[in-house]
Amino acid sequence: MKIRAAVLEAFDAPLEVQEVDLAGPKAGEALVRLVACGVCHTDLYTASGADPSGYVPTVLGHEGAGVVERVGEGVTSVEPGDHVVTLFSPQCRDCEHCLDPRTNLCLAIREQQNRGYLTDGTTRLSREGEPIRHYMGTSTFAEYTVMPEIALAKITPDAPLDRACLFACGLSTGLGAAMNTAQVASGSTCVVFGAGMVGLGAVAGCRLQGADRIVCVDLSPERLDLARGQGATDTWAAGPDTVQQILDLTRGFGADYTFEATGSVEVMRQAVESARMGWGLATVCGVAGKGETMDIVPRFLITGRRIAGSSFGGVKGRDQVPQFVDRYLAGDVDVDAFVSHKLTLDDVNRGFELMEAQDGIRSVIDFA
Amino acid sequence: MKIRAAVLEAFDAPLEVQEVDLAGPKAGEALVRLVACGVCHTDLYTASGADPSGYVPTVLGHEGAGVVERVGEGVTSVEPGDHVVTLFSPQCRDCEHCLDPRTNLCLAIREQQNRGYLTDGTTRLSREGEPIRHYMGTSTFAEYTVMPEIALAKITPDAPLDRACLFACGLSTGLGAAMNTAQVASGSTCVVFGAGMVGLGAVAGCRLQGADRIVCVDLSPERLDLARGQGATDTWAAGPDTVQQILDLTRGFGADYTFEATGSVEVMRQAVESARMGWGLATVCGVAGKGETMDIVPRFLITGRRIAGSSFGGVKGRDQVPQFVDRYLAGDVDVDAFVSHKLTLDDVNRGFELMEAQDGIRSVIDFA
């Protein structure tokens, strides 16, 4: 079939929205009609050429939600008409990692996905017979996509898809960092560095875990307003004294849990140094620049701090994304507040511009 | 009373064994006659002047074991005749940290101890009326010492004190790193970097926890022999390919638990990079040089590795040191293998020379 899609033709150049060919789903795959898709920093990271594992041409987009239109042979977990969230982090439920509660890093299709191919090592996307690679196994800046069923989280049809799509990446990453990776204990003191989509999700996750005090630190007053809406009890302008401020707040000890959601290695260091002596856990969520390293003074570890990280918030997507969506519908997370702009697919580059201008939290492409 | 003690008069100079004055125990304190004391890297670290918090004059030594001779007012947990191990890391059983299972960093006398004073801000050690400071709250390179009862672990009189003293620092630090900090799970794969006292203790701790495979990495073939004696299943000469060797051994995944016991920040980085994707934990035990930092590539965290550290292996000393000593007597840890040299107090500087020459694991001063 012919579909319209936003193609990355060359790094550091605007995406080109054009007609491409999409083949039908093979065994284990499903054809999904996209209804909504968030524009995420990771899309921009690859488009800019900064991502060392990037490739072109490819159809970008990974924060998608839509409706299953058709399924390939042997597909049992979704059927036409199902509402789904796309998962760049699949869950086969069968590999060594899916069977282990400690990690969400499914091994089933990892290698092919990283190279831009579906499970069988080929693409369903093409143009004049030349393959176009699938980005993050998702390629959701498109009217339709074909994905393995293990990368589709079936959600309740009651959820608006232009909200549900945020659970495909940023929001789940933040919620999961607090709920899965750190497993924030009730009554604790938390600090979240960065109030973008991931940081705001972490604030909400800390609140859902019953944290007593949630400090959010960012440069933008608008974002700090949003953090208060998600449950931050204290919001501070980021600065060179942030670590000292946290120590002052906590009788010199530091916070039980800190979260870094900025991608800055300097902030990662602050997250470690402001975690509590004795048991503080610093959770790293952001993706650092190529070649950058965190500098950690070992003394902070010897005195009982720990450092963790996670991809997609440690969320096992097919299991947990539907649960997150249900909590959203139950009123536990105010997702509306995150959707700052609605765009058409033709406006996708505008989504990148808004992101670079730090205008709002999320632009969502509406395919309706 | 007059006692003989090894005094650090100036940094980077030999200790001077001389007669000094020791006042009797005040309230909450006990007079201990030392029977044995290990010579540890931390003593040398301070003697060399590298320790930024060091001071002179002071009586060094902290890996002591002896017999209580007299107790001050209100002392209830030890009495004359009790065999004790000295604790640079006390356990008051009353502060916020002692009451919390997550940390062993007792807060009761921390500040005074760091400055070289006993609980009331004075010293019992002096010379011609001038105070001499207590090193690490212990000052066990001496015939006698006065210490707070909260820093004395009462052990069974059945244990030879020239073995029990090793539980005062290095051995407990290694055992505790595996048993408390990492809480190694049965059946797992562990890698220990460094086969000094702490690393060998970590090897033994991994074995006691039921690890399936224990790799120990060091430069010295003699130390690797000792590691095999403590339960290492594989011993490797350290080299630039160590991380790759560990990945090769573990189907490319890395080890479930890694332990750094060298003090080298480069090795700390190796410990992180060879920990398992998804859930690997790197535990930092070594004390790095002043101003040195670990360089961590954040990607290793995002893909599920964690980093921890501990002081004194997370051991709550009054509770756990007696248990460790009992396990030694039950045959669970071969402590004899660690005692490579016996010295008199007058030979204390020889202990530093042997350490710098990496000759043996521990020199133990015998006061008998």
Side-chain angles (χ1 to χ4, degrees), chain B residues 335-355:
Chain B
V335 179
D336 292 354
F338 302 131
V339 180
S340 24
H341 302 276
K342 293 294 275 288
L343 305 172
T344 64
L345 179 60
D346 288 309
D347 282 335
V348 61
N349 291 301
R350 170 91 182 122
F352 287 160
E353 290 162 19
L354 289 164
M355 190 183 292

Side-chain angles (χ1 to χ4, degrees), chain A residues 15-326:
Chain A
L15 305 188
E16 297 182 21
V17 178
Q18 58 188 259
E19 199 174 80
V20 301
D21 295 302
L22 181 67
K26 290 193 181 178
E29 298 173 356
L31 172 70
V32 175
R33 175 173 58 83
L34 275 306
V35 173
C37 183
V39 180
C40 172
H41 277 87
T42 315
D43 298 304
L44 178 59
Y45 178 66
T46 299
S48 71
D51 175 3
S53 60
Y55 37 76
V56 290
T58 185
V59 173
L60 291 186
H62 63 287
E63 215 171 77
V67 179
V68 174
E69 293 280 311
R70 188 145 53 90
V71 299
E73 194 188 320
V75 168
T76 58
S77 63
V78 290
E79 58 183 22
D82 281 350
H83 286 210
V84 291
V85 166
T86 63
L87 301 172
F88 70 88
S89 181
Q91 183 191 358
C92 75
R93 293 180 169 145
D94 199 36
C95 74
E96 167 176 8
H97 280 187
C98 280
L99 295 174
D100 195 299
R102 294 173 291 182
T103 182
N104 67 331
L105 301 174
C106 174
L107 300 168
I109 59 172
R110 199 170 178 85
E111 205 174 313
Q112 294 293 2
Q113 179 177 321
N114 285 344
R115 295 165 56 214
Y117 301 114
L118 294 194
T119 316
D120 68 351
T122 65
T123 73
R124 305 295 158 268
L125 289 162
S126 64
R127 189 170 49 188
E128 292 165 13
E130 290 298 314
I132 296 177
R133 286 199 262 180
H134 297 248
Y135 175 67
M136 293 178 79
T138 49
S139 287
T140 51
F141 287 166
E143 294 171 324
Y144 291 85
T145 187
V146 168
M147 291 177 56
E149 67 170 321
I150 64 169
L152 294 172
K154 179 178 165 176
I155 62 166
T156 171
D158 296 339
L161 292 169
D162 64 348
R163 299 296 186 264
C165 67
L166 300 190
F167 291 96
C169 180
L171 181 49
S172 293
T173 297
L175 287 168
M179 301 171 76
N180 298 331
T181 309
Q183 297 184 19
V184 166
S186 164
S188 54
T189 296
C190 302
V191 177
V192 177
F193 292 86
M197 183 73 265
V198 172
L200 292 169
V203 167
C206 291
R207 172 177 49 78
L208 293 175
Q209 293 290 108
D212 190 44
R213 192 143 193 177
I214 305 169
V215 179
C216 188
V217 183
D218 198 284
L219 290 168
S220 152
E222 293 79 18
R223 291 185 167 205
L224 291 175
D225 274 345
L226 289 170
R228 273 190 290 279
Q230 297 301 325
T233 57
D234 304 74
T235 53
W236 297 347
D241 298 332
T242 300
V243 170
Q244 189 56 51
Q245 281 180 275
I246 295 165
L247 294 177
D248 291 345
L249 182 76
T250 54
R251 297 176 294 137
F253 286 125
D256 300 309
Y257 303 91
T258 63
F259 296 88
E260 175 283 329
T262 65
S264 153
V265 291
E266 180 50 39
V267 174
M268 292 177 189
R269 178 175 173 152
Q270 292 181 343
V272 172
E273 299 192 356
S274 58
R276 197 190 189 291
M277 164 193 182
W279 60 72
L281 176 68
T283 299
V284 172
C285 305
V287 174
K290 195 175 167 180
E292 290 185 330
T293 59
M294 303 169 65
D295 277 351
I296 305 300
V297 179
R299 177 172 48 85
F300 287 98
L301 299 171
I302 297 297
T303 45
R305 293 164 193 82
R306 293 184 176 228
I307 315 175
S310 58
S311 167
F312 194 45
V315 168
K316 289 182 187 275
R318 290 162 85 195
D319 292 345
Q320 206 172 0
V321 163
Q323 294 166 12
F324 282 164
V325 170
D326 289 345

